[in-house]
Amino acid sequence: MPLPSETLCIFGDSHIGSARRALDAGLVVLEGRRVEFWGAAGPLFRQIDIKDGVVRPEGKEAAEMVAQVNGHGRLTLAAEDFDSFLFYGARLRMAEFMLPYLHFMRDPQRAVSQAVMQAAARQFLRSCRAFRIARSFAATGRTRVFFAPAPLMTLGVLDETGPGQPMALYPRAVEATAADRGVIWDLFDSLMAEAGITLIRQPEGTVVDGVFTDARFAIEGAQTSGDAGHKSAAFAALMLSAFEEVARRDARRKPTISP
């Protein structure tokens, strides 16, 4: 059980907006946790980086957005600032990996070995700045680090079947089963664990048609805006509940160290 004074930083890009809405609306309660948000939306998220163990925004506009998102005057982050960090979304776009590799798994003529997929997954993680920050924080041993990647694209918002579009390139991804997705989640779980990070998976109950998020979790106005990436507060509540379940489970597994 988390201590009453346990602190949590939810770090990320524009996806953290739905997490804030879920908490503000009482759709999920992170009992015993004092939560702060930290991050930036859009191109300004790319202006956040880590140097000498400290994360900070680079540039005035990014700093102003971080200040607005955080609301507590915290313009920098270090591992020891919070008991736990939840990297939420944070430009780790699992759809970009899931789609081709689920297609390969369903197509015997294009199947790849586990070693090839593992190498690709390592490179995919290394290419994500937020993952590198999470890995750096975890390496200090001063905080617990969790990562909930950006969710799969919402079904029916965009036409992805045209020439050169994802579903035209990887059509058999829609045949993927929970077991198929589990193979990829298990791979990322293992790679993150090597870095001291705990993966938070997208709940299976939110996934439809092999590689999409159910349309009932679309962000408001998705059809008009064409926003297939962001999700509703209800979806964020499920993700935060999954985080809480994993965090409590892992806390129970921690060995007690005698003074």
Side-chain angles (χ1 to χ4, degrees):
M1 297 286 290
L3 297 174
S5 60
E6 187 164 330
T7 56
L8 169 68
C9 179
I10 300 179
F11 173 99
D13 53 8
S14 52
H15 284 282
I16 66 177
S18 62
R20 188 192 292 273
R21 290 193 296 273
L23 288 170
D24 288 348
L27 300 180
V28 62
V29 177
L30 301 181
E31 186 177 352
R33 300 187 191 276
R34 182 170 63 80
V35 180
E36 284 188 30
F37 290 86
W38 204 97
L44 294 179
F45 184 74
R46 293 196 293 269
Q47 296 181 29
I48 291 173
D49 207 350
I50 186 169
K51 183 178 180 181
D52 299 326
V54 178
V55 177
R56 53 173 51 89
E58 301 173 342
K60 181 181 177 182
E61 284 186 288
E64 289 175 349
M65 180 169 282
V66 165
Q68 181 180 356
V69 168
N70 177 255
H72 294 276
R74 190 186 301 275
L75 290 182
T76 63
L77 281 180
E80 59 268 22
D81 289 344
F82 290 88
D83 298 310
S84 301
F85 284 86
L86 172 60
F87 287 72
Y88 193 91
R91 303 297 171 90
L92 186 60
R93 300 182 175 104
M94 282 299 294
E96 294 181 0
F97 191 94
M98 282 271 190
L99 192 62
Y101 283 94
L102 287 174
H103 171 84
F104 297 153
M105 291 170 68
R106 302 301 297 180
D107 185 352
Q109 295 183 345
R110 300 185 66 183
V112 297
S113 68
Q114 182 71 10
V116 167
M117 190 159 63
Q118 184 181 70
R122 284 189 188 278
Q123 181 56 38
F124 182 75
L125 288 175
R126 289 171 184 158
S127 69
C128 177
R129 183 179 301 179
F131 172 76
R132 298 195 299 270
I133 294 172
R135 180 179 60 190
S136 177
F137 277 11
T140 69
R142 297 173 181 172
T143 187
R144 299 170 68 198
V145 180
F146 302 82
F147 210 123
L152 301 174
M153 302 297 276
T154 306
L155 181 66
V157 173
L158 298 174
D159 180 8
E160 301 190 52
T161 61
Q165 293 298 308
M167 293 312 301
L169 296 172
Y170 308 111
R172 297 196 64 172
V174 298
E175 302 172 13
T177 65
D180 295 329
R181 291 186 293 274
V183 169
I184 295 178
W185 283 124
D186 286 349
L187 173 57
F188 278 86
D189 194 307
S190 176
L191 294 177
M192 285 198 178
E194 288 179 7
I197 302 166
T198 301
L199 174 68
I200 307 299
R201 308 180 185 206
Q202 179 169 343
E204 270 298 318
T206 69
V207 182
V208 295
D209 286 19
V211 71
F212 289 99
T213 298
D214 194 316
R216 63 195 172 101
F217 296 110
I219 193 170
E220 185 177 355
Q223 292 292 343
T224 301
S225 65
D227 187 348
H230 294 94
K231 304 295 182 282
S232 66
F235 178 88
L238 293 176
M239 291 299 300
L240 291 175
S241 295
F243 155 74
E244 185 73 350
E245 181 180 348
V246 171
R248 288 174 181 270
R249 181 197 67 201
D250 287 0
R252 289 194 297 268
R253 288 178 176 176
K254 277 191 171 183
T256 302
I257 301 175
S258 302

